[in-house]
């Protein structure tokens, strides 16, 4: 059974950077769709970035394009989210999610497309 463990959250300053890690166990990360979601208090969970099985293609929500980068290290079975140029609106709980089945690109940032979730890691951005 695939399990996901996130780390790397914490406090960051406006304009600064953080890198989140999602360690995949019980399966090979390269075989899964792996996405990062975030949820701020009082808001719905939002898909932020996704990487496809094989790691050739990525997709991002518009609000993070050019600032966030999703990548994977197959040797470490880990997916990363590099967050640059942080903004206060990036403050949220960040979750890693995985799905092993085929999905269309129209669904890749939809939370309902994923059946395995990590516990989350908090990111707080302050000025």
């Amino acid at each position: 059974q695939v399990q996901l463990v996130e780390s790397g959250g914490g406090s960051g300053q406006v304009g600064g950077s953080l890198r989140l890690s999602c360690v995949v166990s019980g399966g090979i990360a390269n075989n899964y769709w792996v996405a990062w979601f975030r949820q701020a208090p009082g808001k719905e969970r939002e898909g932020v970035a996704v990487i496809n099985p094989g790691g050739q293609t990525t997709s991002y929500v518009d609000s993070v394009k050019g600032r966030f980068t999703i990548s994977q290290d197959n040797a470490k079975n880990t997916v990363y989210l590099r967050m640059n140029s942080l903004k206060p609106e990036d403050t949220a709980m960040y979750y890693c999610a995985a799905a092993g089945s085929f999905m269309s690109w129209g669904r890749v940032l939809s939370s309902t497309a994923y059946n395995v979730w990590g516990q989350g890691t908090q990111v707080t951005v302050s000025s």
Side-chain angles (χ1 to χ4, degrees):
Q1 182 174 351
V2 174
Q3 293 184 319
L4 309 174
V5 177
E6 304 98 331
S7 63
S11 297
Q13 293 206 329
V14 171
S17 299
L18 286 173
R19 189 182 76 163
L20 306 183
S21 300
C22 173
V23 177
V24 179
S25 62
I28 300 173
N30 201 41
N31 291 343
Y32 290 84
W33 295 86
V34 180
W36 287 95
F37 288 79
R38 65 186 180 186
Q39 189 165 20
K43 294 189 175 182
E44 293 188 356
R45 190 166 295 190
E46 173 187 45
V48 174
V50 61
I51 190 164
N52 73 326
Q56 303 98 335
T57 308
T58 59
S59 184
Y60 302 87
V61 68
D62 286 347
S63 59
V64 308
K65 284 180 181 177
R67 300 189 299 121
F68 290 11
T69 302
I70 188 170
S71 63
Q72 66 183 41
D73 184 332
N74 293 332
K76 295 182 178 180
N77 220 29
T78 299
V79 176
Y80 301 100
L81 184 68
R82 177 70 178 184
M83 305 187 295
N84 294 330
S85 302
L86 288 168
K87 301 177 179 181
E89 51 263 42
D90 294 324
T91 296
M93 183 71 79
Y94 282 73
Y95 299 91
C96 179
S101 58
F102 171 80
M103 70 174 78
S104 65
W105 279 99
R107 295 192 66 213
V108 295
L109 291 179
S110 171
S111 61
T112 59
Y114 296 84
N115 58 345
V116 182
W117 292 83
Q119 293 300 307
T121 185
Q122 177 69 38
V123 171
T124 303
V125 181
S126 58
S127 56

